[in-house]
Amino acid sequence: MTSVTARDYAWIRSSPLFDCALEIGYTLSLVRGVAPREVLRVMEAEPQGSCTGADALIERQDELRDPEDYSDESFMAGACTVPGEGGDWTLVLHVGEGGMGMQSRFLEALTDGGCAVAHSSNGGKPMHFFHWYEDGELRTTFEWPTVRQGSTPDVLNSAMREVGYVLSDDEGGASETSERVDTKAAAFALAERLTGVRVTEELLQGAEYQLGYVPDEQ
């Protein structure tokens, strides 16, 4: 694991991209050893060509959406190859209204013999999620870092503390120290600890994304 902490991701608070992502919702997933086209195939996405940069991906999402259909959970996913621990990973990004990105069944299938990490926000509401899958199993997941679930809910506790999360009242609870912790930045840092992938504004804005339209499951 790297020694990254939440402080290394302070850039998200001055990023126009993540200001938008947190306002309207996003999902960022990292999948080890599976190529972008295969990830999109497992997600049952319809190929939509490619684009360069997250701004262009958001534009394609906006073109897709009917602004008056609030029940539509279809979305545009962008997938690209990034270097990480143990080789190449596929980064999958969705920013905008619609589905919450990666469904659990996709992550279970994509991590059969592998690993994936995903974090997300539903936009406009205080709901932020983190999921870690390994060998087709949900190992650790949480909305609040103090309430963890999964087959091994406590195995990441040491790494979570190191990146900046406060896990109990005994560690600070509502103290001045805990109030300074940016839990969204901590989610990025924890994802890097598990994957070795450093996510930057330059990476997301310079990436060549393969696009896939994921239809509403209703």
Side-chain angles (χ1 to χ4, degrees), residues 16-158:
L17 170 60
F18 269 90
D19 184 57
C20 172
L22 292 171
E23 180 180 353
I24 63 178
Y26 84 94
T27 302
L28 192 155
S29 306
L30 294 161
V31 182
R32 186 179 67 201
V34 184
R37 288 189 187 279
E38 178 63 12
V39 172
L40 292 173
R41 186 195 68 78
V42 172
M43 293 176 67
E44 302 171 4
E46 301 170 8
Q48 298 290 316
S50 64
C51 72
T52 301
D55 288 341
L57 173 60
I58 294 170
E59 288 178 8
R60 294 292 297 271
Q61 168 73 16
D62 289 343
E63 292 169 2
L64 167 74
R65 295 280 299 168
D66 178 350
E68 301 198 1
D69 186 354
Y70 299 105
S71 65
D72 182 11
E73 294 194 349
S74 61
F75 64 94
M76 188 73 74
C80 63
T81 300
V82 293
E85 185 176 336
D88 286 341
W89 293 65
T90 289
L91 182 153
V92 185
L93 180 64
H94 158 58
V95 178
E97 304 292 339
M100 283 291 287
M102 281 286 198
Q103 301 288 335
S104 59
R105 62 189 180 91
F106 300 151
L107 289 164
E108 289 169 1
L110 288 165
T111 58
D112 184 11
C115 174
V117 173
H119 53 89
S120 61
S121 171
N122 64 340
K125 299 177 182 178
M127 296 177 68
H128 306 281
F129 300 96
F130 188 96
H131 310 289
W132 169 44
Y133 283 78
E134 200 164 80
D135 295 326
E137 182 177 69
L138 179 58
R139 297 286 305 278
T140 305
T141 183
F142 56 88
E143 178 183 358
W144 301 105
T146 53
V147 183
R148 301 171 299 280
Q149 297 176 309
S151 63
T152 56
D154 299 327
V155 73
L156 297 181
N157 286 8
S158 177

Side-chain angles (χ1 to χ4, degrees), residues 163-210:
V163 300
Y165 285 114
V166 173
L167 303 187
S168 73
D169 290 341
D170 292 340
E171 297 169 33
S175 72
E176 181 182 355
T177 299
S178 68
E179 288 173 0
R180 290 200 301 265
V181 174
D182 184 335
T183 55
K184 180 53 66 178
F188 275 84
L190 184 60
E192 182 176 338
R193 292 256 181 154
L194 291 167
T195 66
V197 176
R198 172 61 61 95
V199 175
T200 65
E201 178 99 0
E202 293 75 19
L203 170 67
L204 297 175
Q205 292 291 20
E208 182 74 13
Y209 295 98
Q210 297 185 40

